[in-house]
């Protein structure tokens, strides 16, 4: 089943995916939210919402019906940048406008760009919204060669300096300071695809929705200077003529349960940059509920202790996470887990968010550019996110790039256990409050990878990913870590027989053959090491019965556990089923669904079952696998042939393995057909 269902109507989209066993998650997207930016809100879906998995399309689109439960307001979450004096980009304009309410002011578009003074500073008329309102741009100053807007309100009535047709003074009896000036961007482009395909209006399904946007932010100094130089011309009509400050390139990738955002800022003028890539408002809670947040590597900051579950509803002022708040100052705060809980403390829904250690998000890079602040939480809880850089001065041509994740979490959950991919690397993230002696994350997609720490890490984790997943323990609370899952070794050259055309057969073991009777092997699972140079998809498997017997032969394949050198203890990769031993000749089993044999070592398993009256005889290879066998605490197994491990008492379908010693049965000659 596809992971995503996407509903689209022009610029509006709703993205639905599975949340837990009974509920789905629906996330909003708006391609023209503010200033034509990509936003995470639209009127038909005001919040990220949980719905029963049985909810119909008509109940969730185009308007979310009463069937849903709102869990997260993301209307402000398309992340802007900060210039040291104003947020800009995303759904923000420069916040240095002054709106004056003045009934029948008499000014028109002809007066746009004119200059006015309060006797101390010069203000520029940027827009005439209507006959009762005027929008002025505040002055800018040059600080150490960098232009900055000034957040200041007029001290007295504004009198004309130059450029206006209507020169009547403007009283400031009714004014609103710090108004966002719009438009604030131009040259916006957006490309949308679902698994590489265009997304038409209507209903589509797939695995990843990708939206790439780009836009230019003009400099504030350029905006004021251009307005003054083009009297009577609305700025919205000449935005591309304003000297630019920077270009923003955002890459949004929605997948089941979450979102990955990559942001690149390219300087086109000298300015000071602060950015966090992802802005995360607090989760929504029902009446009487609260929000709890844990942050790896962070201790006390503000009024809260973030090394346990901090109740963020109690924050009354901006909380800055600085190096002084960190357990390891060389590892800036990079992630958090937040839960909405009921009045009784029961988990309702959660979110994990943070930066990945790539590009400028690598800790060694971030630590140089976030000395003043590497995370902050506003008292309104609208802003709660890491800083990729804080107060870094950029010159034209310089870039800053970061990638952030957010993933919605279903209860109950004792820990945050994530595998996040940025398309080039896979990352494992663990965050856990409380101790645990033996925990494990299923991660079949990372089998046999090596785990390399790339973030703040204080818990014990296995060096490699096994077929059973990722084992870890937290001896002292809290436990946390981030690792990159690297290939364990370079892939060898492929074997020709395993990579020829579909429908061709190949032997995993070549060499001389003989015959071996299954004497004393009834219900003994015999496991033989096999090696493939690359993963190979197969749909048939053959063995040869050279002398008939009673019962049947059941066979299959188990994964290899590199930490033990033995078959993985969990169930088989594939159970090929049972073949009657009552007929001699090549016995071919056709798989209902093809399976993929993994790269590297695996274990072929065969067991004689059903009736122990007459042991059958099999065609076998007279060579074994070139691998290490741990023979136990004594040397007795040195005597005689040894071909693999065994397990007794296997009377039915193949299941988990408990090794009970080594065996002397040569590997059956088997052939696979490539699917």
């Amino acid at each position: 089943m596809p992971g995503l269902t996407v509903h689209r109507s022009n610029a509006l989209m709703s993205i639905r995916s599975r949340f837990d066993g009974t509920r789905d998650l629906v996330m909003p997207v708006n391609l023209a939210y503010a200033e034509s930016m990509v936003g995470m809100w639209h009127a038909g879906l005001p919040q990220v919402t949980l719905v029963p998995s049985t909810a119909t399309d008509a109940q969730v689109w185009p308007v979310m019906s009463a069937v849903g439960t709102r869990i997260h307001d993301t209307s402000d979450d398309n992340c802007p940048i900060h210039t040291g004096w104003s947020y800009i980009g995303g759904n923000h304009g420069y916040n240095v406008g002054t709106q004056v309410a003045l009934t029948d002011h008499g000014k028109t578009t002809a007066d746009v760009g004119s200059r006015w003074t309060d006797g101390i500073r010069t203000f520029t008329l940027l827009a005439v919204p209507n006959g009762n309102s005027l929008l002025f741009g505040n002055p800018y100053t040059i600080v150490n060669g960098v232009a900055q807007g000034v957040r200041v309100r007029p001290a007295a009535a504004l009198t004309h300096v130059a450029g206006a047709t209507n020169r009547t003074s403007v009283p400031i009896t009714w004014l609103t300071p710090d108004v966002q000036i719009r438009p604030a961007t131009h040259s916006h482009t957006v490309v949308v695809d679902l698994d590489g395909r265009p997304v038409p209006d209507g209903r589509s399904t797939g695995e990843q929705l990708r939206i790439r946007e780009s836009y230019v932010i003009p400099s504030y100094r350029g905006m004021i200077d251009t307005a003054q130089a083009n009297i009577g011309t609305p700025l919205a009509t000449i935005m591309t003529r304003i000297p630019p400050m920077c270009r923003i390139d955002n890459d949004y990738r929605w997948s089941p349960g979450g979102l990955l955002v990559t942001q690149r800022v390219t300087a086109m003028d000298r300015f000071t940059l602060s950015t966090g890539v992802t802005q995360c408002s607090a989760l929504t809670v029902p009446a009487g509920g609260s929000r709890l947040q844990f942050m790896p590597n962070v201790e006390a900051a503000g009024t809260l202790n973030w090394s346990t579950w901090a109740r963020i509803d109690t924050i009354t002022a901006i909380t800055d996470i600085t190096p002084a708040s960190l357990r390891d100052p060389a590892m800036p705060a990079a992630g958090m887990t937040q839960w909405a809980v009921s009045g009784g403390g029961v988990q309702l829904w959660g979110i994990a968010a943070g930066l990945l250690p790539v590009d400028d998000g690598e800790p060694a890079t971030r630590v140089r550019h976030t000395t003043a602040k590497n995370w902050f939480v506003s008292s309104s809880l609208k802003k709660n996110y890491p800083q990729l850089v804080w107060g870094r001065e950029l010159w034209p041509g310089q870039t800053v790039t970061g990638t952030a994740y957010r993933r919605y979490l279903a209860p109950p959950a004792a820990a945050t256990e994530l595998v996040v991919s940025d398309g080039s690397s896979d990352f494992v993230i663990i965050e856990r409050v409380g101790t645990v002696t033996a925990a494990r994350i299923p991660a079949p997609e990372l089998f046999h990878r090596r785990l390399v720490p790339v973030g703040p890490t204080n818990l014990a984790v296995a060096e490699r990913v096994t077929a059973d997943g990722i084992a870890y323990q937290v001896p002292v609370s809290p436990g946390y870590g981030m690792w990159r899952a690297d290939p364990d070794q370079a892939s060898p050259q492929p074997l020709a027989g395993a990579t020829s055309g579909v429908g061709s057969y190949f032997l995993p073991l070549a060499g001389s053959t003989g015959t071996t009777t299954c004497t004393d092997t009834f219900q003994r699972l015999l496991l033989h090491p096999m090696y493939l140079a690359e993963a190979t998809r197969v749909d048939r498997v053959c063995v040869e019965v050279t002398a008939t017997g009673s019962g049947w032969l059941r066979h299959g394949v188990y994964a290899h556990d590199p930490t033990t050198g033995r078959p993985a203890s969990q169930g088989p990769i594939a159970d090929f089923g049972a073949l009657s031993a009552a007929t001699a000749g090549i016995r071919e089993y056709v798989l209902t669904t093809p399976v993929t044999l993994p790269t590297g070592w695996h274990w072929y398993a065969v067991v004689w079952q059903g009736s122990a009256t007459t042991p059958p005889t099999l065609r076998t290879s007279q060579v074994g696998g070139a691998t290490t066998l741990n023979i136990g605490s004594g040397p007795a197994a040195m005597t005689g042939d040894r071909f693999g491990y065994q397990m007794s008492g296997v009377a039915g379908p193949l299941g988990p393995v408990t090794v009970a010693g080594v065996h002397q049965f040569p590997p059956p000659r088997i052939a696979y057909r490539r699917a």
Side-chain angles (χ1 to χ4, degrees):
M1 293 291 291
L4 298 179
T5 298
V6 179
H7 299 279
R8 179 176 184 180
S9 176
N10 197 13
L12 306 184
M13 286 184 276
S14 291
I15 307 166
R16 182 173 179 174
S17 63
R18 182 55 57 93
F19 181 68
D20 59 19
T22 61
R23 295 177 294 178
D24 289 354
L25 184 77
V26 189
M27 299 176 284
V29 178
N30 190 337
L31 301 180
Y33 178 38
E35 309 282 324
S36 297
M37 301 298 132
V38 172
M40 304 177 204
W41 179 92
H42 64 73
L45 184 61
Q47 290 196 23
V48 176
T49 301
L50 292 179
V51 301
S53 298
T54 55
T56 65
D57 288 345
Q59 289 176 302
V60 303
W61 176 261
V63 176
M64 178 63 66
S65 69
V67 70
T69 300
R70 298 179 181 183
I71 68 168
H72 196 200
D73 180 0
T74 54
S75 59
D76 200 44
D77 279 8
N78 53 334
C79 190
I81 64 171
H82 195 274
T83 64
W85 54 272
S86 176
Y87 285 101
I88 185 70
N91 59 345
H92 292 67
Y94 287 117
N95 63 350
V96 286
T98 296
Q99 189 101 18
V100 178
L102 179 60
T103 303
D104 298 328
H105 53 65
K107 293 178 172 47
T108 66
T109 300
D111 300 301
V112 169
S114 58
R115 287 173 283 161
W116 302 75
T117 182
D118 64 352
I120 304 172
R121 302 176 181 87
T122 299
F123 295 78
T124 304
L125 183 61
L126 293 182
V128 181
N130 54 58
N132 302 311
S133 179
L134 299 169
L135 177 64
F136 291 88
N138 292 3
Y140 63 82
T141 61
I142 306 298
V143 179
N144 296 325
V146 178
Q148 298 182 359
V150 180
R151 297 183 67 177
V152 61
R153 64 179 63 196
L158 296 173
T159 59
H160 180 253
V161 175
T165 300
N166 183 326
R167 301 176 181 180
T168 305
S169 296
V170 178
I172 60 168
T173 306
W174 306 103
L175 65 78
T176 304
D178 304 336
V179 171
Q180 294 187 28
I181 298 170
R182 302 181 185 281
T185 63
H186 64 83
S187 303
H188 185 268
T189 63
V190 64
V191 177
V192 184
D193 67 69
L194 182 63
D195 297 342
R197 308 183 310 272
V199 182
D201 281 359
R203 183 181 188 273
S204 304
T205 58
E207 297 299 327
Q208 184 185 82
L209 176 71
R210 188 172 190 180
I211 301 176
R212 284 162 285 184
E213 71 171 344
S214 178
Y215 56 87
V216 173
I217 299 176
S219 72
Y220 183 69
R221 173 173 57 180
M223 184 178 290
I224 296 299
D225 292 352
T226 301
Q228 293 178 359
N230 293 271
I231 301 295
T233 306
L235 276 182
T237 66
I238 55 173
M239 291 294 289
T240 57
R241 289 159 56 182
I242 301 174
M245 181 182 72
C246 67
R247 186 181 69 248
I248 304 293
D249 295 286
N250 291 327
D251 188 347
Y252 300 90
R253 285 168 280 181
W254 277 268
S255 58
L259 169 65
L260 199 70
V261 184
T262 297
Q263 183 178 77
R264 177 183 292 269
V265 181
T266 303
M268 304 171 81
D269 191 11
R270 185 181 170 194
F271 78 104
T272 300
L273 173 67
S274 299
T275 185
V277 182
T278 185
Q279 180 171 313
C280 189
S281 298
L283 295 169
T284 302
V285 292
S290 60
R291 287 159 286 210
L292 307 178
Q293 182 167 312
F294 166 71
M295 299 179 67
N297 195 40
V298 182
E299 298 184 323
T303 59
L304 296 175
N305 180 1
W306 303 89
S307 66
T308 183
W309 290 113
R311 182 171 176 175
I312 62 175
D313 305 86
T314 63
I315 292 177
T316 58
I318 290 177
T319 296
D320 290 333
I321 308 298
T322 67
S325 308
L326 304 177
R327 187 171 293 183
D328 179 357
M331 292 287 177
M336 67 90 169
T337 294
Q338 184 185 124
W339 281 97
V341 299
S342 68
V346 177
Q347 291 176 335
L348 301 173
W349 41 79
I351 188 170
L355 285 173
L356 292 180
V358 297
D359 299 315
D360 292 283
E362 293 185 0
T365 301
R366 281 188 69 212
V367 76
R368 300 199 307 269
H369 301 297
T370 57
T371 54
K373 183 183 304 191
N374 52 71
W375 191 293
F376 83 101
V377 185
S378 67
S379 57
S380 68
L381 301 183
K382 288 178 66 175
K383 290 176 168 50
N384 182 0
Y385 61 117
Q387 294 305 307
L388 183 68
V389 297
W390 185 265
R392 178 180 173 183
E393 187 173 294
L394 297 184
W395 289 74
Q398 289 186 308
T399 64
V400 169
T401 304
T403 298
Y405 65 91
R406 59 169 68 193
R407 188 77 60 84
Y408 290 97
L409 309 174
T416 300
E417 301 171 342
L418 304 178
V419 176
V420 179
S421 174
D422 71 344
S424 299
S425 300
D426 299 307
F427 299 93
V428 175
I429 300 166
I430 301 174
E431 299 173 11
R432 189 173 191 130
V433 176
T435 60
V436 64
T437 56
R440 190 176 294 274
I441 308 173
E445 70 274 33
L446 304 181
F447 174 61
H448 208 262
R449 300 274 197 93
R450 184 168 57 92
L451 296 179
V452 179
V454 289
T457 301
N458 75 337
L459 53 75
V461 67
E463 183 180 346
R464 288 175 173 78
V465 183
T466 70
D468 293 336
I470 301 169
Y472 73 92
Q473 56 180 304
V474 181
V476 178
S477 179
Y480 48 83
M482 180 181 286
W483 301 264
R484 187 180 62 245
D486 287 349
D488 191 47
Q489 58 188 6
S491 299
Q493 291 298 312
L495 295 175
T499 55
S500 56
V502 170
S504 63
Y505 290 81
F506 66 92
L507 300 170
L509 282 180
S512 59
T513 64
T515 59
T516 307
T517 302
C518 297
T519 304
D520 297 327
T521 66
F522 185 68
Q523 294 184 358
R524 286 169 55 204
L525 183 67
L526 307 174
L527 296 121
H528 301 85
M530 304 282 179
Y531 185 88
L532 288 178
E534 70 175 19
T536 308
R537 186 174 167 87
V538 300
D539 60 6
R540 297 188 184 188
V541 57
C542 307
V543 296
E544 183 181 358
V545 177
T546 58
T548 61
S550 59
W552 58 81
L553 299 167
R554 182 180 295 276
H555 59 159
V557 168
Y558 284 82
H560 177 69
D561 186 343
T563 63
T564 64
R566 295 184 172 191
S569 60
Q570 67 182 35
I573 295 174
D575 186 334
F576 297 145
L579 294 170
S580 173
T583 303
I586 296 175
R587 310 307 313 280
E588 183 173 64
Y589 185 84
V590 179
L591 280 65
T592 303
T593 302
V595 300
T596 299
L597 302 177
T599 302
W601 292 103
H602 67 270
W603 294 80
Y604 173 78
V606 62
V607 56
W608 173 34
Q609 298 175 332
S611 170
T613 304
T614 306
T617 301
L618 304 181
R619 180 78 63 194
T620 54
S621 294
Q622 298 303 295
V623 292
T627 189
T628 301
L629 290 178
N630 294 314
I631 60 177
S633 58
M638 280 288 292
T639 60
D641 298 334
R642 303 296 168 183
F643 291 101
Y645 295 108
Q646 68 172 354
M647 174 181 170
S648 301
V650 181
L654 302 184
V657 171
T658 301
V659 169
V662 290
H663 67 75
Q664 295 179 274
F665 198 94
R669 164 60 61 88
I670 54 176
Y672 293 107
R673 193 180 82 160
R674 188 165 184 263

